[in-house]
Amino acid sequence: MVLDKETSSIEATIAVVGERWTILIVRDIFRGIHRFSQLQEDLGIAKNLLSERLAHLVEEGVVERVPYQDRPLRCEYRLTPKGADLSASLIALMKWGDRWYADDPPTVLVHRTCGTPLDLDPTCPRCSVAVTPGQIRSQNATEES
Amino acid sequence: MVLDKETSSIEATIAVVGERWTILIVRDIFRGIHRFSQLQEDLGIAKNLLSERLAHLVEEGVVERVPYQDRPLRCEYRLTPKGADLSASLIALMKWGDRWYADDPPTVLVHRTCGTPLDLDPTCPRCSVAVTPGQIRSQNATEES
DNA sequence: CAGTATCCTCGAGGATACTG
DNA sequence: CAGTATCCTCGAGGATACTG
């Protein structure tokens, strides 16, 4: 059917980052927490689980190990371009939680440096209407629209 | 710390929809699949699990039961406004999966009705720069920016 | 510090039978 | 059709001890 592409795309995404600890780890790395012990302390996750989740993220190419000292060799975890590309997803999830579960609604999410409110609701630039997932399809980037 | 709000917002979101079946159910309802048997067939999920996940979504106010016949009473599942508000998140996840796991990259996501490509990368409208999750904060909607 | 190795337990997923 | 009720099994989460 027509929606196969979108189907597998969502499934692919949640197969990689659709797990509580995994997504929280990625969020923490976004926030500048890069070292094993810092992640463990911030998240309160068991060390074997953190180790396993990080290995999984490295294997998927979302996170990479970057040495920051020799003798003994120590690495920290950084987002790859693929991992950094998750920002839109994280922000959308954050924004939804903020909208519906904030202690004192209404709140808005703003750019930290300049305070400008951010609107991430998907809108078609041509039609100027809100777009839902069912109204979207994939097409090859080289095709004519 | 300053990021507490975002932290709990993401955790709140994944507590509600951060599970494989749950998110696929929401996606299917977005796509127009509203009945129990259709969802079960489309997803290949065990009936007790589907029943439980739907009950959870109803309880969370993401989905609602809407009768479509009496005698016997039958209900279908529709998104509430809160559920429909998940579209930005679903699309962002879909788009990431499409970008990094499409069979034949590059692909783009376009508005189904008019074919216009959609860009959901978060950009600050004032600064015109890409915004990452760590560069966002919550503030009360009534505060001055 | 940054992990790996073990072990234990509980509960989720799934299959199946049953029901109005 | 749209579920509920049971039952079984496996494996994930977590705690803890250990290692270079």
Side-chain angles (χ1 to χ4, degrees):
Chain A
M1 77 184 286
V2 189
L3 292 170
D4 280 345
K5 197 66 162 293
E6 291 88 336
T7 300
S8 55
S9 291
I10 283 213
E11 289 211 56
T13 301
I14 64 175
V16 178
V17 295
E19 188 272 333
R20 171 181 157 76
W21 289 126
T22 304
I23 203 163
L24 293 178
I25 289 167
V26 171
R27 182 211 57 190
D28 266 14
I29 298 178
F30 260 113
R31 290 163 63 195
I33 301 178
H34 297 293
R35 302 200 177 167
F36 191 90
S37 58
Q38 296 175 315
L39 288 166
Q40 204 227 331
E41 184 181 14
D42 186 69
L43 297 172
I45 183 180
K47 296 162 90 173
N48 52 349
L49 291 190
L50 177 56
S51 177
E52 184 205 306
R53 295 296 189 281
L54 285 169
H56 175 237
L57 286 169
V58 168
E59 194 173 0
E60 288 290 342
V62 172
V63 162
E64 62 187 350
R65 293 164 53 89
V66 179
Y68 66 89
Q69 77 169 33
D70 306 332
R71 320 191 58 79
L73 177 63
R74 294 276 184 263
C75 293
E76 57 186 15
Y77 297 89
R78 297 270 175 183
L79 295 171
T80 62
K82 180 174 171 183
D85 190 40
L86 279 167
S87 65
S89 297
L90 283 182
I91 291 169
L93 296 171
M94 183 196 305
K95 216 184 156 194
W96 188 83
D98 198 72
R99 248 186 250 120
W100 297 96
Y101 293 94
D103 294 336
D104 310 292
T107 58
V108 292
L109 297 187
V110 300
H111 191 189
R112 187 179 292 282
T113 51
C114 74
T116 302
L118 300 168
D119 185 10
L120 294 171
D121 290 338
T123 303
C124 175
R126 181 188 295 178
C127 310
S128 296
V129 297
V131 180
T132 66
Q135 297 166 349
I136 294 183
R137 62 180 166 80
S138 296
Q139 75 175 28
N140 194 298
T142 59
E143 286 177 39
E144 280 305 305
S145 65
Chain B
M1 79 185 284
V2 190
L3 292 171
D4 280 346
K5 198 67 161 292
E6 290 89 335
T7 300
S8 55
S9 291
I10 284 214
E11 289 211 57
T13 301
I14 64 174
V16 178
V17 295
E19 188 272 331
R20 169 181 159 79
W21 290 125
T22 304
I23 203 163
L24 293 178
I25 290 167
V26 170
R27 181 211 59 188
D28 265 14
I29 298 178
F30 259 113
R31 291 163 63 194
I33 301 177
H34 297 293
R35 303 201 176 165
F36 191 91
S37 57
Q38 296 174 316
L39 288 166
Q40 203 226 330
E41 184 182 12
D42 186 70
L43 297 172
I45 182 179
K47 295 162 91 173
N48 52 352
L49 290 190
L50 176 56
S51 177
E52 184 206 305
R53 294 296 189 282
L54 284 169
H56 175 237
L57 287 169
V58 168
E59 194 174 1
E60 288 290 344
V62 172
V63 161
E64 63 187 348
R65 293 163 56 87
V66 179
Y68 66 90
Q69 77 171 33
D70 306 332
R71 318 189 62 76
L73 177 63
R74 292 276 185 265
C75 292
E76 56 186 19
Y77 296 88
R78 295 271 175 182
L79 294 170
T80 63
K82 181 174 170 182
D85 190 41
L86 279 167
S87 65
S89 298
L90 283 182
I91 291 169
L93 295 172
M94 183 196 308
K95 216 185 154 193
W96 188 82
D98 197 71
R99 247 186 252 118
W100 297 95
Y101 293 95
D103 294 336
D104 309 293
T107 58
V108 292
L109 296 187
V110 300
H111 191 190
R112 189 179 291 283
T113 52
C114 73
T116 302
L118 299 168
D119 185 9
L120 293 170
D121 289 338
T123 302
C124 175
R126 182 187 294 178
C127 309
S128 297
V129 297
V131 180
T132 66
Q135 296 165 347
I136 293 183
R137 61 180 166 82
S138 296
Q139 76 176 29
N140 193 299
T142 60
E143 289 176 35
E144 280 304 308
S145 66

